[in-house]
Amino acid sequence: MFFEGSEKKAEIIIDKNSLSLLNDIDDCFWQNMVERCNAQIISSVSNSECKAFLLSESSLFVWHNKLLIITCGVTTLVDSVEYFLQHIDNILIRQVIYQRKNEYFAHAQLSSFSEDSKRLSSIIDGKAYRFGEIDSHHNYIFHQHNNFQANENNKTYQLLAYQINKQVSERLTRPNLTPACVRDFLNIEVLFPGYSIDDFVFQPYGYSLNAIRGEEYITIHITPQAMSSYVSFESNVDLFKVTKQLLSILQPASFDFLTFNESNFDQQITTYVPEQYKSKALVKDELSNGYLVCFATFIWPQTIYTDAQRLDTKSISHAL
Amino acid sequence: MFFEGSEKKAEIIIDKNSLSLLNDIDDCFWQNMVERCNAQIISSVSNSECKAFLLSESSLFVWHNKLLIITCGVTTLVDSVEYFLQHIDNILIRQVIYQRKNEYFAHAQLSSFSEDSKRLSSIIDGKAYRFGEIDSHHNYIFHQHNNFQANENNKTYQLLAYQINKQVSERLTRPNLTPACVRDFLNIEVLFPGYSIDDFVFQPYGYSLNAIRGEEYITIHITPQAMSSYVSFESNVDLFKVTKQLLSILQPASFDFLTFNESNFDQQITTYVPEQYKSKALVKDELSNGYLVCFATFIWPQTIYTDAQRLDTKSISHAL
């Protein structure tokens, strides 16, 4: 069974002096917004700075001045962004960033990044970029082009792991897997102490976690199936420091690091990426909204031949 | 400008005692067949063993007992295969192999491998495989499942190069580029002496070459644009021996080797792949039709950061 784990993501920053997204907007609005992209709210956890919604396809975080929504599968996140822009006075909107990872079952997607960009461009003036080569892992970024300049302390870290160790994949696809089993396996409470956690195991496969502590957030999404395994970590807390531990647990054949406003990216890579991984791509650029974006892909060179993957020609997923 | 260089490919073997595809089938049939997938015949070259047609999207080779058709872009090769199976008595058909490389603008394709497989399965019993990981270069293979067993001398070599050196890309996208310029640049007449050659430079970009000598064929297709550069070589002649020369000319960031019935694949890799390239994937399997298929991907580890690719949000290709 295949599942498109690759995420679409939107971050919208508003003028917090006029409106608090956290206090002034009710859950009904967020429910309507996520329904637009064919997702559902499953549960939530909150504190005075942040509310985190666990979605049927990934996560929504709401702060006083910002929202972050991440969805996967065949969701049409651009519809949710459009809903937000249609319902919130645009004069309050300081910045919109829309991001889309390359997909592996792109044929099954209901829109392409290009189509999404065109739709957003009809509402807001924007610029678009690709980080990473077309024949390898890459991320498309569209951002509103206005006078907004990012606060250098507004940092984001994404660690994206592919083709995790087969035994790990088997462990994470076991029947009766519980959220506690996954948390223990990933050593979450040791690596990230003191967070309020909301997590969920999907049927037949999949795991999502939201964790918040004050303004800090961590979100983890696991597509564990061996044929297309993918684990994503995203946070505004430095993930480099836990990279070695996470890689040693998952043992992926390749992984990406994508950061916003991490000025020591090169040094962090040198310090924290285990030596056996070789860099396939290194991209660094400053967007016109002031964000320094760094992207790197690493592979673990293979030395052993594997068998081909047998596919069922009768019941094969239409997404291939 | 983006172009999907990734190929679809079909090889069909018939019983040569009853029919010669080369002598008994006229060009009108081949023209009709290639039109089914939205390609056109541009020119041809032939000898007593083989006729090679240069197509608007790649190539068609016809031997007495076999045809090989390779198409790229958004062609629907499965339609041509279906046309052949509908017009040639199926009792004469010994084997059908249909292959499809992963695409980079999959959203723009008119069908997926899975849909193609289902259509072929409705005509012939078949098996399907994936060689290579889902998040990296990979090839899908569908083949007819019958009592056919491949002749071990029926070998195929594919060398697929990605992200060629930028200066090479610029050279191959120059205005007024001639076929002779490309042949000289690739050193074709030295590397492959004694072949009858038919080649063509496409507007605005692109180059195709067919070369035959007796039953031997070589075909080369170049998508030179820097944002999505791709060069493919295919032959029934050992391409390992010219790999170092071709890689030193093109200097790709990554490349694949895919072979059918090359039993010394491991040794050839060790002997002919330059040391700076690291193996990202190694797959080996024997299909039930008797073909030993080997697939390997190599990358050149990067040490220098590049800029992101700027995209035009207004006139961006719909394929992204």
Side-chain angles (χ1 to χ4, degrees), chain A residues 104 107 109 112 114 128-130 133-135 137 140 163 279-280 282 284-285 301-302 306 308-311 316-317 320, chain B residues 104 107 109 112 114 128-130 133-135 137 140 163 279-280 282 284-285 301-302 306 308-311 316-317 320:
Chain A
Y104 296 108
H107 192 71
Q109 290 292 318
S112 65
S114 166
Y129 307 77
R130 188 187 75 216
E133 294 293 345
I134 198 76
D135 72 306
H137 306 167
Y140 292 110
Q163 300 175 54
S279 56
K280 178 161 179 11
L282 295 170
K284 187 187 286 193
D285 219 326
Q302 303 297 296
T306 60
Q309 181 69 52
R310 267 86 177 151
L311 306 170
I316 207 165
S317 154
L320 280 181
Chain B
Y104 296 108
H107 192 72
Q109 289 292 318
S112 65
S114 165
Y129 307 77
R130 188 188 75 216
E133 294 294 344
I134 198 76
D135 73 306
H137 305 168
Y140 292 110
Q163 300 174 54
S279 56
K280 174 157 180 17
L282 295 170
K284 187 186 286 192
D285 220 326
Q302 303 297 298
T306 60
Q309 181 69 52
R310 267 86 177 151
L311 306 171
I316 207 164
S317 155
L320 281 180

Short mmCIF file of all heavy atoms in Angstrom, two decimals, chain A residues 104 107 109 112 114 128-130 133-135 137 140 163 279-280 282 284-285 301-302 306 308-311 316-317 320, chain B residues 104 107 109 112 114 128-130 133-135 137 140 163 279-280 282 284-285 301-302 306 308-311 316-317 320:
data_model
loop_
_atom_site.label_atom_id
_atom_site.label_comp_id
_atom_site.label_asym_id
_atom_site.label_seq_id
_atom_site.Cartn_x
_atom_site.Cartn_y
_atom_site.Cartn_z
N TYR A 104 5.93 11.62 -4.74
CA TYR A 104 6.34 10.38 -5.38
C TYR A 104 5.20 9.72 -6.12
O TYR A 104 5.41 8.79 -6.90
CB TYR A 104 7.01 9.46 -4.35
CG TYR A 104 8.26 10.15 -3.88
CD1 TYR A 104 8.37 10.69 -2.61
CD2 TYR A 104 9.30 10.36 -4.78
CE1 TYR A 104 9.49 11.40 -2.23
CE2 TYR A 104 10.43 11.06 -4.41
CZ TYR A 104 10.52 11.57 -3.14
OH TYR A 104 11.64 12.29 -2.79
N HIS A 107 1.24 11.88 -9.98
CA HIS A 107 0.14 11.69 -10.92
C HIS A 107 -1.21 11.67 -10.20
O HIS A 107 -2.24 12.01 -10.79
CB HIS A 107 0.36 10.36 -11.66
CG HIS A 107 -0.53 10.19 -12.84
ND1 HIS A 107 -0.36 10.94 -13.99
CD2 HIS A 107 -1.59 9.40 -13.05
CE1 HIS A 107 -1.29 10.59 -14.86
NE2 HIS A 107 -2.06 9.67 -14.32
N GLN A 109 -1.96 13.49 -7.52
CA GLN A 109 -2.28 14.77 -6.88
C GLN A 109 -3.34 15.52 -7.67
O GLN A 109 -3.41 15.41 -8.90
CB GLN A 109 -1.01 15.63 -6.78
CG GLN A 109 0.00 15.10 -5.78
CD GLN A 109 -0.47 15.21 -4.33
OE1 GLN A 109 -1.05 16.21 -3.93
NE2 GLN A 109 -0.22 14.17 -3.56
N SER A 112 -0.79 20.70 -9.15
CA SER A 112 0.67 20.76 -9.09
C SER A 112 1.07 22.04 -8.36
O SER A 112 0.25 22.95 -8.16
CB SER A 112 1.23 20.79 -10.51
OG SER A 112 0.84 21.98 -11.16
N SER A 114 2.82 24.36 -9.52
CA SER A 114 2.65 25.45 -10.47
C SER A 114 1.21 25.97 -10.48
O SER A 114 0.97 27.18 -10.45
CB SER A 114 3.05 24.96 -11.84
OG SER A 114 2.61 25.85 -12.82
N ALA A 128 8.56 32.56 -6.46
CA ALA A 128 8.65 31.10 -6.28
C ALA A 128 10.07 30.61 -6.54
O ALA A 128 10.80 31.18 -7.37
CB ALA A 128 7.66 30.40 -7.20
N TYR A 129 10.43 29.56 -5.85
CA TYR A 129 11.78 28.99 -5.91
C TYR A 129 11.70 27.46 -5.85
O TYR A 129 10.75 26.91 -5.30
CB TYR A 129 12.61 29.41 -4.70
CG TYR A 129 12.69 30.89 -4.43
CD1 TYR A 129 11.62 31.56 -3.83
CD2 TYR A 129 13.83 31.60 -4.74
CE1 TYR A 129 11.70 32.91 -3.56
CE2 TYR A 129 13.91 32.96 -4.47
CZ TYR A 129 12.85 33.62 -3.88
OH TYR A 129 12.92 34.95 -3.60
N ARG A 130 12.74 26.83 -6.35
CA ARG A 130 12.92 25.39 -6.10
C ARG A 130 14.25 25.18 -5.39
O ARG A 130 15.29 25.64 -5.87
CB ARG A 130 12.93 24.60 -7.42
CG ARG A 130 12.91 23.09 -7.18
CD ARG A 130 13.09 22.28 -8.46
NE ARG A 130 14.46 22.34 -8.89
CZ ARG A 130 14.87 22.39 -10.16
NH1 ARG A 130 13.97 22.38 -11.14
NH2 ARG A 130 16.15 22.46 -10.49
N GLU A 133 17.55 19.61 -6.66
CA GLU A 133 17.52 19.29 -8.08
C GLU A 133 16.24 18.55 -8.45
O GLU A 133 15.66 17.85 -7.63
CB GLU A 133 18.74 18.44 -8.47
CG GLU A 133 20.05 19.17 -8.34
CD GLU A 133 20.20 20.31 -9.33
OE1 GLU A 133 19.44 20.37 -10.31
OE2 GLU A 133 21.09 21.16 -9.11
N ILE A 134 15.86 18.69 -9.72
CA ILE A 134 14.59 18.12 -10.19
C ILE A 134 14.59 16.59 -10.09
O ILE A 134 13.53 15.99 -9.86
CB ILE A 134 14.30 18.60 -11.64
CG1 ILE A 134 12.85 18.41 -12.01
CG2 ILE A 134 15.21 17.94 -12.66
CD1 ILE A 134 11.94 19.42 -11.42
N ASP A 135 15.74 15.93 -10.24
CA ASP A 135 15.76 14.46 -10.24
C ASP A 135 16.03 13.89 -8.85
O ASP A 135 16.30 12.71 -8.71
CB ASP A 135 16.81 13.93 -11.22
CG ASP A 135 18.22 14.16 -10.73
OD1 ASP A 135 18.55 15.32 -10.40
OD2 ASP A 135 18.98 13.19 -10.63
N HIS A 137 15.37 14.77 -4.25
CA HIS A 137 14.49 15.44 -3.29
C HIS A 137 14.55 16.95 -3.53
O HIS A 137 15.64 17.51 -3.70
CB HIS A 137 14.96 15.17 -1.86
CG HIS A 137 15.10 13.71 -1.54
ND1 HIS A 137 15.74 13.24 -0.42
CD2 HIS A 137 14.67 12.61 -2.20
CE1 HIS A 137 15.70 11.92 -0.40
NE2 HIS A 137 15.05 11.51 -1.48
N TYR A 140 9.52 23.09 -3.27
CA TYR A 140 9.10 24.33 -3.92
C TYR A 140 8.62 25.29 -2.84
O TYR A 140 7.92 24.87 -1.90
CB TYR A 140 7.94 24.05 -4.89
CG TYR A 140 8.34 23.22 -6.09
CD1 TYR A 140 7.90 21.91 -6.24
CD2 TYR A 140 9.14 23.77 -7.08
CE1 TYR A 140 8.26 21.15 -7.34
CE2 TYR A 140 9.51 23.01 -8.20
CZ TYR A 140 9.07 21.71 -8.32
OH TYR A 140 9.43 20.97 -9.41
N GLN A 163 13.25 5.92 3.37
CA GLN A 163 13.71 4.53 3.36
C GLN A 163 14.37 4.17 4.68
O GLN A 163 15.56 3.88 4.73
CB GLN A 163 14.72 4.29 2.25
CG GLN A 163 14.24 4.54 0.85
CD GLN A 163 15.41 4.37 -0.10
OE1 GLN A 163 16.08 3.34 -0.11
NE2 GLN A 163 15.68 5.37 -0.89
N SER A 279 26.88 14.02 0.97
CA SER A 279 25.97 15.10 0.56
C SER A 279 25.66 15.05 -0.92
O SER A 279 26.55 15.15 -1.76
CB SER A 279 26.57 16.46 0.90
OG SER A 279 27.83 16.58 0.30
N LYS A 280 24.39 14.86 -1.23
CA LYS A 280 23.96 14.80 -2.63
C LYS A 280 23.61 16.18 -3.16
O LYS A 280 23.71 16.46 -4.35
CB LYS A 280 22.74 13.87 -2.75
CG LYS A 280 22.20 13.80 -4.17
CD LYS A 280 21.35 12.63 -4.44
CE LYS A 280 20.79 12.61 -5.86
NZ LYS A 280 21.35 13.58 -6.80
N LEU A 282 23.40 20.59 -1.87
CA LEU A 282 23.59 21.66 -0.88
C LEU A 282 23.09 22.94 -1.53
O LEU A 282 23.66 23.39 -2.53
CB LEU A 282 25.08 21.82 -0.53
CG LEU A 282 25.79 20.66 0.17
CD1 LEU A 282 27.30 20.92 0.20
CD2 LEU A 282 25.27 20.48 1.59
N LYS A 284 21.59 27.00 -0.76
CA LYS A 284 21.43 28.07 0.23
C LYS A 284 21.00 29.32 -0.51
O LYS A 284 21.59 29.67 -1.54
CB LYS A 284 22.76 28.29 0.94
CG LYS A 284 22.70 29.26 2.10
CD LYS A 284 24.09 29.56 2.65
CE LYS A 284 24.67 28.40 3.45
NZ LYS A 284 25.86 28.80 4.21
N ASP A 285 19.98 30.00 0.00
CA ASP A 285 19.55 31.22 -0.69
C ASP A 285 18.76 32.08 0.30
O ASP A 285 18.16 31.56 1.24
CB ASP A 285 18.67 30.88 -1.90
CG ASP A 285 18.96 31.78 -3.08
OD1 ASP A 285 19.29 32.96 -2.86
OD2 ASP A 285 18.86 31.29 -4.21
N PRO A 301 25.74 5.61 1.14
CA PRO A 301 26.11 4.78 0.00
C PRO A 301 25.80 3.30 0.24
O PRO A 301 26.09 2.77 1.32
CB PRO A 301 27.61 5.03 -0.16
CG PRO A 301 27.80 6.41 0.38
CD PRO A 301 26.84 6.49 1.54
N GLN A 302 25.20 2.65 -0.75
CA GLN A 302 24.80 1.25 -0.63
C GLN A 302 25.89 0.34 -1.18
O GLN A 302 26.56 0.68 -2.16
CB GLN A 302 23.51 1.01 -1.43
CG GLN A 302 22.36 1.90 -1.02
CD GLN A 302 21.93 1.65 0.42
OE1 GLN A 302 21.46 0.59 0.76
NE2 GLN A 302 22.09 2.65 1.28
N THR A 306 19.93 -5.33 -3.66
CA THR A 306 18.61 -5.74 -3.18
C THR A 306 17.83 -6.31 -4.35
O THR A 306 18.19 -6.11 -5.51
CB THR A 306 17.83 -4.55 -2.59
OG1 THR A 306 17.68 -3.56 -3.62
CG2 THR A 306 18.56 -3.92 -1.42
N ALA A 308 14.42 -6.53 -6.77
CA ALA A 308 13.42 -5.57 -7.27
C ALA A 308 12.16 -5.68 -6.42
O ALA A 308 11.94 -6.69 -5.74
CB ALA A 308 13.11 -5.86 -8.73
N GLN A 309 11.35 -4.65 -6.48
CA GLN A 309 10.06 -4.66 -5.79
C GLN A 309 9.01 -5.24 -6.73
O GLN A 309 8.80 -4.72 -7.82
CB GLN A 309 9.70 -3.22 -5.43
CG GLN A 309 8.41 -3.07 -4.69
CD GLN A 309 8.50 -3.64 -3.29
OE1 GLN A 309 9.39 -3.29 -2.53
NE2 GLN A 309 7.58 -4.52 -2.94
N ARG A 310 8.38 -6.36 -6.29
CA ARG A 310 7.29 -6.93 -7.10
C ARG A 310 6.04 -6.07 -6.95
O ARG A 310 5.70 -5.68 -5.83
CB ARG A 310 6.93 -8.34 -6.63
CG ARG A 310 7.65 -9.43 -7.37
CD ARG A 310 8.99 -9.72 -6.76
NE ARG A 310 9.66 -10.81 -7.42
CZ ARG A 310 10.98 -10.91 -7.49
NH1 ARG A 310 11.76 -9.98 -6.98
NH2 ARG A 310 11.54 -11.94 -8.10
N LEU A 311 5.35 -5.84 -8.05
CA LEU A 311 4.12 -5.05 -8.02
C LEU A 311 2.97 -5.91 -8.53
O LEU A 311 3.15 -6.74 -9.41
CB LEU A 311 4.26 -3.82 -8.92
CG LEU A 311 5.49 -2.93 -8.64
CD1 LEU A 311 5.64 -1.89 -9.73
CD2 LEU A 311 5.36 -2.26 -7.29
N ILE A 316 -2.79 -2.89 -8.33
CA ILE A 316 -1.76 -1.88 -8.17
C ILE A 316 -2.38 -0.49 -7.92
O ILE A 316 -3.43 -0.17 -8.47
CB ILE A 316 -0.91 -1.92 -9.47
CG1 ILE A 316 0.49 -1.46 -9.27
CG2 ILE A 316 -1.59 -1.22 -10.61
CD1 ILE A 316 1.41 -1.86 -10.43
N SER A 317 -1.76 0.28 -7.05
CA SER A 317 -2.29 1.62 -6.77
C SER A 317 -2.29 2.45 -8.05
O SER A 317 -1.36 2.39 -8.84
CB SER A 317 -1.39 2.29 -5.74
OG SER A 317 -1.45 3.68 -5.85
N LEU A 320 0.95 5.02 -9.03
CA LEU A 320 2.31 4.74 -9.52
C LEU A 320 2.65 5.51 -10.78
O LEU A 320 1.85 5.59 -11.68
CB LEU A 320 2.46 3.26 -9.82
CG LEU A 320 2.70 2.35 -8.65
CD1 LEU A 320 2.84 0.93 -9.14
CD2 LEU A 320 3.94 2.75 -7.88
N TYR B 104 9.67 13.28 -13.87
CA TYR B 104 9.88 14.44 -13.00
C TYR B 104 8.74 15.45 -13.11
O TYR B 104 8.63 16.35 -12.30
CB TYR B 104 11.25 15.04 -13.24
CG TYR B 104 12.28 14.01 -12.85
CD1 TYR B 104 13.04 13.33 -13.80
CD2 TYR B 104 12.38 13.62 -11.52
CE1 TYR B 104 13.90 12.31 -13.41
CE2 TYR B 104 13.24 12.61 -11.13
CZ TYR B 104 13.99 11.96 -12.08
OH TYR B 104 14.82 10.94 -11.71
N HIS B 107 2.86 14.82 -13.02
CA HIS B 107 1.51 15.39 -13.01
C HIS B 107 1.02 15.69 -14.44
O HIS B 107 -0.18 15.70 -14.69
CB HIS B 107 1.53 16.67 -12.17
CG HIS B 107 0.19 17.19 -11.86
ND1 HIS B 107 -0.65 16.55 -10.96
CD2 HIS B 107 -0.50 18.26 -12.32
CE1 HIS B 107 -1.78 17.22 -10.89
NE2 HIS B 107 -1.72 18.26 -11.70
N GLN B 109 1.75 13.88 -17.11
CA GLN B 109 1.62 12.68 -17.93
C GLN B 109 0.14 12.31 -18.10
O GLN B 109 -0.67 12.55 -17.21
CB GLN B 109 2.35 11.51 -17.26
CG GLN B 109 3.86 11.64 -17.31
CD GLN B 109 4.44 11.51 -18.70
OE1 GLN B 109 4.02 10.65 -19.49
NE2 GLN B 109 5.39 12.37 -19.03
N SER B 112 -0.39 6.81 -15.85
CA SER B 112 0.67 6.35 -14.95
C SER B 112 1.10 4.95 -15.38
O SER B 112 0.41 4.29 -16.16
CB SER B 112 0.14 6.32 -13.51
OG SER B 112 -0.89 5.34 -13.41
N SER B 114 0.96 2.38 -13.61
CA SER B 114 -0.06 1.47 -13.11
C SER B 114 -1.23 1.36 -14.08
O SER B 114 -1.72 0.26 -14.39
CB SER B 114 -0.54 1.97 -11.76
OG SER B 114 -1.72 1.34 -11.40
N ALA B 128 4.86 -7.31 -12.97
CA ALA B 128 5.43 -5.96 -12.90
C ALA B 128 6.40 -5.82 -11.73
O ALA B 128 6.22 -6.47 -10.69
CB ALA B 128 4.32 -4.93 -12.78
N TYR B 129 7.39 -4.98 -11.91
CA TYR B 129 8.45 -4.78 -10.93
C TYR B 129 8.85 -3.31 -10.87
O TYR B 129 8.68 -2.59 -11.85
CB TYR B 129 9.73 -5.55 -11.34
CG TYR B 129 9.56 -7.00 -11.64
CD1 TYR B 129 9.02 -7.43 -12.85
CD2 TYR B 129 9.99 -7.96 -10.73
CE1 TYR B 129 8.88 -8.78 -13.13
CE2 TYR B 129 9.86 -9.31 -11.01
CZ TYR B 129 9.30 -9.72 -12.22
OH TYR B 129 9.19 -11.05 -12.49
N ARG B 130 9.43 -2.93 -9.76
CA ARG B 130 10.09 -1.62 -9.69
C ARG B 130 11.55 -1.84 -9.33
O ARG B 130 11.85 -2.53 -8.34
CB ARG B 130 9.44 -0.73 -8.62
CG ARG B 130 9.99 0.70 -8.66
CD ARG B 130 9.50 1.55 -7.49
NE ARG B 130 10.18 1.17 -6.26
CZ ARG B 130 9.62 1.15 -5.06
NH1 ARG B 130 8.35 1.48 -4.92
NH2 ARG B 130 10.30 0.77 -3.99
N GLU B 133 14.55 2.74 -5.65
CA GLU B 133 13.68 3.21 -4.57
C GLU B 133 12.73 4.29 -5.07
O GLU B 133 13.04 5.03 -5.99
CB GLU B 133 14.52 3.74 -3.40
CG GLU B 133 15.35 2.68 -2.71
CD GLU B 133 14.50 1.62 -1.99
OE1 GLU B 133 13.30 1.86 -1.77
OE2 GLU B 133 15.05 0.57 -1.66
N ILE B 134 11.60 4.39 -4.38
CA ILE B 134 10.55 5.31 -4.79
C ILE B 134 11.01 6.77 -4.72
O ILE B 134 10.58 7.60 -5.52
CB ILE B 134 9.27 5.08 -3.93
CG1 ILE B 134 8.04 5.69 -4.59
CG2 ILE B 134 9.42 5.57 -2.52
CD1 ILE B 134 7.53 4.90 -5.74
N ASP B 135 11.90 7.10 -3.78
CA ASP B 135 12.31 8.50 -3.62
C ASP B 135 13.55 8.85 -4.42
O ASP B 135 14.14 9.91 -4.23
CB ASP B 135 12.54 8.84 -2.14
CG ASP B 135 13.82 8.20 -1.63
OD1 ASP B 135 13.96 6.97 -1.78
OD2 ASP B 135 14.68 8.92 -1.09
N HIS B 137 15.86 7.72 -8.41
CA HIS B 137 15.68 7.22 -9.77
C HIS B 137 15.17 5.78 -9.71
O HIS B 137 15.69 4.97 -8.94
CB HIS B 137 17.03 7.21 -10.50
CG HIS B 137 17.72 8.54 -10.51
ND1 HIS B 137 19.01 8.70 -10.89
CD2 HIS B 137 17.27 9.78 -10.19
CE1 HIS B 137 19.35 9.99 -10.80
NE2 HIS B 137 18.31 10.65 -10.37
N TYR B 140 10.14 1.18 -13.79
CA TYR B 140 9.08 0.19 -13.71
C TYR B 140 9.19 -0.72 -14.93
O TYR B 140 9.41 -0.24 -16.04
CB TYR B 140 7.70 0.86 -13.72
CG TYR B 140 7.41 1.67 -12.47
CD1 TYR B 140 7.36 3.06 -12.51
CD2 TYR B 140 7.20 1.04 -11.25
CE1 TYR B 140 7.09 3.80 -11.36
CE2 TYR B 140 6.94 1.78 -10.10
CZ TYR B 140 6.88 3.15 -10.17
OH TYR B 140 6.61 3.87 -9.03
N GLN B 163 21.66 15.98 -14.63
CA GLN B 163 22.35 17.20 -14.18
C GLN B 163 23.78 17.23 -14.70
O GLN B 163 24.72 17.20 -13.92
CB GLN B 163 22.39 17.29 -12.66
CG GLN B 163 21.09 17.32 -11.94
CD GLN B 163 21.35 17.25 -10.44
OE1 GLN B 163 22.11 18.05 -9.89
NE2 GLN B 163 20.75 16.29 -9.79
N SER B 279 27.63 4.84 -4.74
CA SER B 279 26.44 4.09 -5.14
C SER B 279 25.26 4.39 -4.21
O SER B 279 25.32 4.13 -3.02
CB SER B 279 26.73 2.60 -5.13
OG SER B 279 27.21 2.21 -3.87
N LYS B 280 24.20 4.93 -4.78
CA LYS B 280 23.01 5.26 -4.01
C LYS B 280 22.05 4.07 -3.98
O LYS B 280 21.28 3.90 -3.04
CB LYS B 280 22.31 6.48 -4.61
CG LYS B 280 20.99 6.80 -3.95
CD LYS B 280 20.57 8.22 -4.12
CE LYS B 280 19.23 8.51 -3.45
NZ LYS B 280 18.77 7.54 -2.46
N LEU B 282 21.58 -0.23 -5.53
CA LEU B 282 22.06 -1.41 -6.26
C LEU B 282 20.94 -2.44 -6.22
O LEU B 282 20.57 -2.90 -5.15
CB LEU B 282 23.30 -1.99 -5.56
CG LEU B 282 24.58 -1.13 -5.53
CD1 LEU B 282 25.61 -1.76 -4.59
CD2 LEU B 282 25.18 -0.98 -6.92
N LYS B 284 19.31 -6.00 -8.18
CA LYS B 284 19.56 -7.08 -9.14
C LYS B 284 18.44 -8.10 -8.98
O LYS B 284 18.10 -8.48 -7.87
CB LYS B 284 20.90 -7.74 -8.82
CG LYS B 284 21.36 -8.77 -9.84
CD LYS B 284 22.63 -9.48 -9.37
CE LYS B 284 23.86 -8.61 -9.48
NZ LYS B 284 25.11 -9.38 -9.31
N ASP B 285 17.86 -8.53 -10.10
CA ASP B 285 16.79 -9.51 -10.00
C ASP B 285 16.64 -10.23 -11.35
O ASP B 285 16.96 -9.69 -12.40
CB ASP B 285 15.46 -8.83 -9.65
CG ASP B 285 14.66 -9.66 -8.64
OD1 ASP B 285 14.74 -10.91 -8.72
OD2 ASP B 285 13.98 -9.06 -7.81
N PRO B 301 29.16 13.21 -4.77
CA PRO B 301 28.90 14.02 -3.58
C PRO B 301 29.25 15.49 -3.81
O PRO B 301 30.30 15.81 -4.37
CB PRO B 301 29.79 13.39 -2.51
CG PRO B 301 29.92 11.97 -2.94
CD PRO B 301 29.99 12.03 -4.45
N GLN B 302 28.34 16.38 -3.38
CA GLN B 302 28.50 17.81 -3.59
C GLN B 302 29.16 18.44 -2.37
O GLN B 302 28.92 18.04 -1.23
CB GLN B 302 27.13 18.46 -3.81
CG GLN B 302 26.36 17.87 -4.98
CD GLN B 302 27.05 18.07 -6.30
OE1 GLN B 302 27.24 19.19 -6.74
NE2 GLN B 302 27.45 16.99 -6.95
N THR B 306 24.82 25.71 -3.83
CA THR B 306 24.31 26.41 -5.01
C THR B 306 23.14 27.29 -4.58
O THR B 306 22.59 27.12 -3.48
CB THR B 306 23.81 25.42 -6.08
OG1 THR B 306 22.77 24.62 -5.49
CG2 THR B 306 24.92 24.51 -6.55
N ALA B 308 19.19 28.65 -4.97
CA ALA B 308 17.91 28.04 -5.34
C ALA B 308 17.58 28.41 -6.79
O ALA B 308 18.13 29.37 -7.34
CB ALA B 308 16.81 28.55 -4.42
N GLN B 309 16.71 27.65 -7.38
CA GLN B 309 16.25 27.92 -8.73
C GLN B 309 15.05 28.86 -8.66
O GLN B 309 14.04 28.53 -8.02
CB GLN B 309 15.84 26.60 -9.39
CG GLN B 309 15.36 26.72 -10.80
CD GLN B 309 16.49 27.10 -11.74
OE1 GLN B 309 17.53 26.45 -11.76
NE2 GLN B 309 16.28 28.13 -12.53
N ARG B 310 15.16 30.04 -9.28
CA ARG B 310 14.01 30.95 -9.33
C ARG B 310 13.00 30.46 -10.34
O ARG B 310 13.38 30.05 -11.43
CB ARG B 310 14.45 32.35 -9.76
CG ARG B 310 14.76 33.29 -8.62
CD ARG B 310 16.19 33.13 -8.19
NE ARG B 310 16.53 34.07 -7.13
CZ ARG B 310 17.44 33.83 -6.21
NH1 ARG B 310 18.07 32.66 -6.18
NH2 ARG B 310 17.73 34.72 -5.30
N LEU B 311 11.73 30.53 -9.98
CA LEU B 311 10.67 30.09 -10.88
C LEU B 311 9.75 31.26 -11.17
O LEU B 311 9.53 32.12 -10.31
CB LEU B 311 9.86 28.96 -10.24
CG LEU B 311 10.66 27.77 -9.75
CD1 LEU B 311 9.79 26.82 -8.94
CD2 LEU B 311 11.29 27.00 -10.92
N ILE B 316 5.03 29.89 -15.39
CA ILE B 316 5.60 28.61 -14.93
C ILE B 316 4.93 27.44 -15.69
O ILE B 316 3.74 27.48 -15.99
CB ILE B 316 5.36 28.54 -13.40
CG1 ILE B 316 6.38 27.70 -12.71
CG2 ILE B 316 3.97 28.15 -13.07
CD1 ILE B 316 6.38 27.95 -11.20
N SER B 317 5.73 26.44 -16.02
CA SER B 317 5.17 25.27 -16.71
C SER B 317 4.11 24.60 -15.83
O SER B 317 4.28 24.50 -14.62
CB SER B 317 6.30 24.27 -16.97
OG SER B 317 5.80 22.98 -17.09
N LEU B 320 5.08 21.40 -13.22
CA LEU B 320 5.78 21.33 -11.93
C LEU B 320 5.00 20.62 -10.85
O LEU B 320 3.82 20.82 -10.72
CB LEU B 320 6.09 22.74 -11.44
CG LEU B 320 7.28 23.43 -12.07
CD1 LEU B 320 7.44 24.80 -11.47
CD2 LEU B 320 8.55 22.64 -11.86
#
